[in-house]
Amino acid sequence: MPGKNHESTQDGTHDSDPPKATPFLRSTRLVLALLGCLMFFHLYAQRVGMSVAIVCMVNQTAVAEMGRLQTPTGVADNSSDIISKAADRNSRCSKASGQSNGSLNDGPFVWEKSIQGHILGAFFYGYTVSQIPGGLMAEQFGGKWVVFGFLALSSVATLLTPVAARFSFAALIVLRVFVGIGSGALFPAMHSMWGKWAPPMERSKLAGLTYAGCMIGNVITLPVSGVLCQYGFDGGWGSVFYLIGISSVVSLVFWAIFTSDTPDTNRYISTAERRYIVHSLKDEISDRKPKLSEVPWLEFLKSGPVWAIIIANFCMDWGFYTLLTNIPTFYSEVLRFDITSVR
C-alpha cells in the first residue's frame, strides 16, 4: 500500500512479515541442544565415574582385615601389615576358588567405610552450593560462559583426581567438592540459555534433547569405567578420570566456538532463524537485567507450588542419587559381582 515502506531483509522477507518457522534439523538451535547434551553427558560422567572407580581404588580385603583387627583402642596393626596380610589372604582365596589373581585384585587405598562415604558424598556438598549462584550469574553474564567456566572447573578437578588420591584422601574430598561446584551451575545456566533460544512450541523438545545427556552419560560411563578399571592405564582406575577429564576439555572447545548467549550474538545462525526465534519470544524476554532486590524471594518461600516442586525433587533425587552413587559398591561387596566384567 502507498505510504508504507517495508524494509527488506537478506532472505527477501520484510520486517513487518510474520516470520516462518525454520527447518529444525538444519537449525542452530539444534546444534545448541546437541552441544548442551554433550555438556550434560560429561557432567554425569564426572559424577558417576568415581562411583565405579572407588571400587577399584579401595583394597576391600585390607579394609575387611582392618575391621577384623579393630580394637577399642585402635587398629592392632599398621596399614602396611594389613595390606600384606590382605594380599596373602587374597592369594589364598584365589587359589582355592580357581580364579586368576586379576579377578580378585584390590586397589592401593585402605579407606574405611566412613572415608569412602565422605569421598562419594563430597560431590553433593559442592553441587548444592553452586546452583542458585550459577543461575544468578547466568542471568547477569550470560549462560554460555557460566557453563564453560564451571564445567572447566570440574574438568580440571577430575583430571587432578588421581594425583590428589595418592596424596591424601582429604585432598581427594576437596577436589570432589570442586567437581560438585562446577557441576551444580550447569542446570540453571542452561535454563537461562533456553529462555532466550527456545521458541515456545519447541521448548520441551530442545530441553529434552539437552538433558538426555545426563542419562546417556550414566548408561555409557558406568560400564566403560568398569572396563577401564580392569584394562586401563595408571592402575586402571586412574584412566577413568583422565579420559573423562580430557573428553570434557575437548567438548568445551566445541562449546566455546559454536554457542552464544542469544541468537542475536551467534555467528552461524541464519537471518531467518534469528528472526523466527526473536519474534516468538518478543513478549517473554527483556534486555533489562533484573536486580536481586527485585526478585520476590519471600513470595517464593510462601508459594505452595514452589514447595511441592522442591519436595517432589527432593524425594526423587534422594532415591535416584543414592542408587546411582552406591550401586557399584553394592554390586561388588554385597552381590560379589565383578564390575569389570562385560559378559
Side-chain angles (χ1 to χ4, degrees):
M1 293 178 60
K4 290 190 176 181
N5 184 18
H6 299 306
E7 183 179 349
S8 296
T9 59
Q10 293 179 356
D11 59 358
T13 62
H14 299 282
D15 286 338
S16 59
D17 296 335
K20 299 179 180 179
T22 54
F24 179 76
L25 294 179
R26 291 184 285 123
S27 66
T28 305
R29 58 193 185 278
L30 175 59
V31 174
L32 176 61
L34 292 174
L35 288 172
C37 180
L38 192 61
M39 296 300 104
F40 283 91
F41 171 91
H42 287 97
L43 182 155
Y44 269 71
Q46 293 173 9
R47 176 183 302 191
V48 304
M50 174 59 78
S51 298
V52 178
I54 197 169
V55 177
C56 311
M57 296 168 71
V58 173
N59 191 320
Q60 304 292 349
T61 312
V63 172
E65 186 76 11
M66 184 169 63
R68 190 177 68 84
L69 297 175
Q70 191 80 31
T71 68
T73 58
V75 179
D77 295 288
N78 60 40
S79 296
S80 299
D81 292 337
I82 291 173
I83 293 175
S84 177
K85 291 180 179 181
D88 181 63
R89 176 178 292 186
N90 198 9
S91 177
R92 293 198 307 271
C93 290
S94 175
K95 292 177 181 178
S97 63
Q99 293 178 300
S100 64
N101 286 334
S103 63
L104 290 174
N105 279 343
D106 275 322
F109 304 108
V110 184
W111 292 331
E112 59 187 23
K113 293 299 180 183
S114 60
I115 294 176
Q116 294 180 48
H118 285 302
I119 291 171
L120 291 173
F123 172 93
F124 297 99
Y125 306 154
Y127 191 71
T128 303
V129 167
S130 63
Q131 296 200 31
I132 293 178
L136 296 175
M137 291 174 65
E139 289 295 328
Q140 294 297 318
F141 308 113
K144 171 183 177 176
W145 293 112
V146 172
V147 170
F148 181 92
F150 276 83
L151 191 62
L153 171 66
S154 65
S155 300
V156 171
T158 299
L159 285 167
L160 293 175
T161 295
V163 178
R166 292 184 172 99
F167 181 74
S168 72
F169 73 83
L172 176 59
I173 288 173
V174 171
L175 276 187
R176 290 302 294 174
V177 171
F178 278 113
V179 173
I181 291 173
S183 300
L186 262 67
F187 274 102
M190 199 70 226
H191 293 336
S192 174
M193 291 187 71
W194 280 131
K196 300 169 184 175
W197 268 95
M201 299 304 295
E202 296 180 359
R203 282 176 183 163
S204 297
K205 177 166 52 179
L206 290 167
L209 178 57
T210 301
Y211 302 132
C214 301
M215 297 304 105
I216 296 172
N218 291 336
V219 169
I220 293 178
T221 303
L222 288 169
V224 170
S225 295
V227 174
L228 288 173
C229 279
Q230 180 72 15
Y231 302 107
F233 56 91
D234 193 30
W237 60 268
S239 62
V240 174
F241 302 105
Y242 288 130
L243 291 182
I244 291 174
I246 292 171
S247 178
S248 299
V249 171
V250 172
S251 70
L252 284 170
V253 174
F254 288 96
W255 176 264
I257 294 173
F258 293 107
T259 65
S260 64
D261 292 320
T262 66
D264 287 328
T265 57
N266 192 277
R267 294 178 291 174
Y268 306 100
I269 192 172
S270 68
T271 302
E273 185 181 3
R274 180 184 291 112
R275 290 186 68 238
Y276 167 61
I277 295 174
V278 171
H279 184 271
S280 67
L281 297 173
K282 63 184 176 67
D283 297 326
E284 302 185 19
I285 59 176
S286 171
D287 293 332
R288 192 179 74 87
K289 296 179 180 179
K291 298 179 181 179
L292 283 179
S293 59
E294 298 175 342
V295 178
W297 299 106
L298 184 59
E299 295 302 317
F300 290 161
L301 294 176
K302 294 191 299 183
S303 171
V306 168
W307 280 105
I309 293 171
I310 291 173
I311 294 171
N313 272 277
F314 177 89
C315 294
M316 188 278 290
D317 288 346
W318 180 282
F320 175 65
Y321 290 134
T322 298
L323 290 174
L324 189 64
T325 303
N326 293 296
I327 271 185
T329 300
F330 177 80
Y331 277 4
S332 175
E333 297 184 15
V334 178
L335 301 182
R336 301 298 180 184
F337 179 77
D338 182 5
I339 64 168
T340 67
S341 173
V342 294
R343 296 189 296 274

